[in-house]
Amino acid sequence: MLDMIPLRYFLSAYETGSISLAARANGVSQPSVSAAIQRLERDLEGALFLRSRQGLTATALGDRLYREAAPSVAHLTELPARLRPEVRQRVRLHCYPDVLLAPFTAPLQALIRRRPELVPEFAASPETCDLACVAEDCAPAGHVFLPLWEESYCVALARSHPLATATCLQPEDIQSLPRIHRPYCPTADQLYAYEAATGATPAPGAAAVNDQQVLDLVAAGLGLAFVPFTVGETHPGVALVPLSGITEVRRTVGISHRKTVLAREVAEEIAISFKEKMI
């Protein structure tokens, strides 16, 4: 039966073509590597290397031993790490009510496949999260923001609404229509201020608690809403129409992270995966 240590020294010598480099790779002396290889040669009854001033050249027996032994040695070397209890790392994610999670789904799934040691959790509060799907203006205090995309706002209408096929709307076109307000969105104030500046007096409406509810209410014909483009395009029952002047109102959406090593690594991986998907 062949021992692991001589085999490991042999593999290093084979891969480096040098006794001295094999000794350095394993943190032992050159005589230790030479003695281990000689022991293998006695056990296998044949030379494993031809030695010259240029280094080591494997014999046919050496080539065969390498092919047979390399996978087994690698498997056994990694065995202790595989048998140790896996260290699970929690990553708490918060998604703001004015950002839908759909654009982040594929990058998150790819991350979980690559990093099985991670345990993603939803954080109800931005104060307790490690990562946040968020517009730049709302990033939690102490977080670093990584931008992913920029977008403008538009009018969301039910697809069955007569104005849904318009190419552009004027404030007077929608003045009498009830609104589904988005009070959790800081940009909403700019949009309502724009309407006020144009002299429009919008019909009263109700306030939603998140953008998914906004889209469902709009699709049901219960009012219109000013929404970011990527939010509105996710609902099949909603049509998006530009409003004159509103293209000047924009926001940047991305992912923010706490200033910890794990949170930074995970956020950067998500950002890279997201941008690769967009190419």
Side-chain angles (χ1 to χ4, degrees):
M1 180 177 177
L2 301 180
D3 292 335
M4 270 282 293
I5 292 178
L7 282 173
R8 194 163 67 239
Y9 293 174
F10 160 75
L11 295 178
S12 295
Y14 185 98
E15 291 167 352
T16 62
S18 165
I19 295 291
S20 61
L21 292 178
R24 188 181 307 168
N26 288 278
V28 297
S29 65
Q30 294 184 38
S32 296
V33 175
S34 296
I37 292 173
Q38 290 168 5
R39 177 180 171 185
L40 288 173
E41 290 175 328
R42 287 196 302 272
D43 291 342
L44 298 173
E45 299 180 355
L48 296 173
F49 295 108
L50 299 176
R51 295 160 175 81
S52 68
R53 290 185 177 180
Q54 285 72 41
L56 303 176
T57 302
T59 63
L61 178 61
D63 286 333
R64 183 177 178 186
L65 177 61
Y66 183 84
R67 289 194 302 271
E68 296 282 349
S72 299
V73 171
H75 180 80
L76 291 173
T77 300
E78 296 166 358
L79 185 60
R82 292 198 301 273
L83 293 179
R84 292 190 197 103
E86 187 175 13
V87 178
R88 308 284 279 173
Q89 296 178 296
R90 290 195 312 156
V91 179
R92 296 160 298 181
L93 174 71
H94 180 75
C95 189
Y96 276 68
D98 62 331
V99 177
L100 294 184
L101 194 57
F104 297 90
T105 300
L108 284 170
Q109 290 174 339
L111 172 73
I112 293 168
R113 288 193 298 269
R114 289 194 307 269
R115 302 279 296 270
E117 78 280 7
L118 296 180
V119 182
E121 295 179 359
F122 180 73
S125 167
E127 287 77 20
T128 61
C129 71
D130 300 301
L131 308 172
C133 302
V134 61
E136 185 172 15
D137 294 341
C138 297
H143 274 220
V144 176
F145 180 78
L146 304 180
L148 296 180
W149 74 85
E150 186 177 301
E151 61 188 347
S152 58
Y153 282 66
C154 53
V155 177
L157 295 159
R159 286 202 175 276
S160 59
H161 196 282
L163 295 177
T165 57
T167 56
C168 187
L169 296 172
Q170 300 296 324
E172 56 268 23
D173 296 329
I174 59 175
Q175 184 173 348
S176 62
L177 299 179
R179 308 300 164 88
I180 309 297
H181 295 289
R182 304 168 63 246
Y184 46 80
C185 174
T187 311
D189 293 337
Q190 299 180 45
L191 299 171
Y192 300 143
Y194 168 81
E195 281 198 310
T198 63
T201 306
V209 298
N210 57 51
D211 274 350
Q212 187 59 58
Q213 187 180 70
V214 167
L215 298 178
D216 290 338
L217 292 170
V218 169
L222 299 180
L224 64 82
F226 292 117
V227 300
F229 182 80
T230 57
V231 169
E233 68 177 354
T234 62
H235 200 297
V238 171
L240 304 177
V241 185
L243 182 63
S244 179
I246 290 299
T247 51
E248 299 172 1
V249 180
R250 302 181 66 83
R251 72 170 185 173
T252 301
V253 182
I255 189 159
S256 70
H257 65 83
R258 288 185 182 276
K259 296 177 182 178
T260 64
V261 173
L262 178 62
R264 176 181 56 79
E265 290 177 352
V266 172
E268 289 176 351
E269 286 189 49
I270 292 173
I272 291 171
S273 181
F274 181 90
K275 290 173 181 177
E276 288 175 348
K277 181 173 69 74
M278 299 299 291
I279 294 176

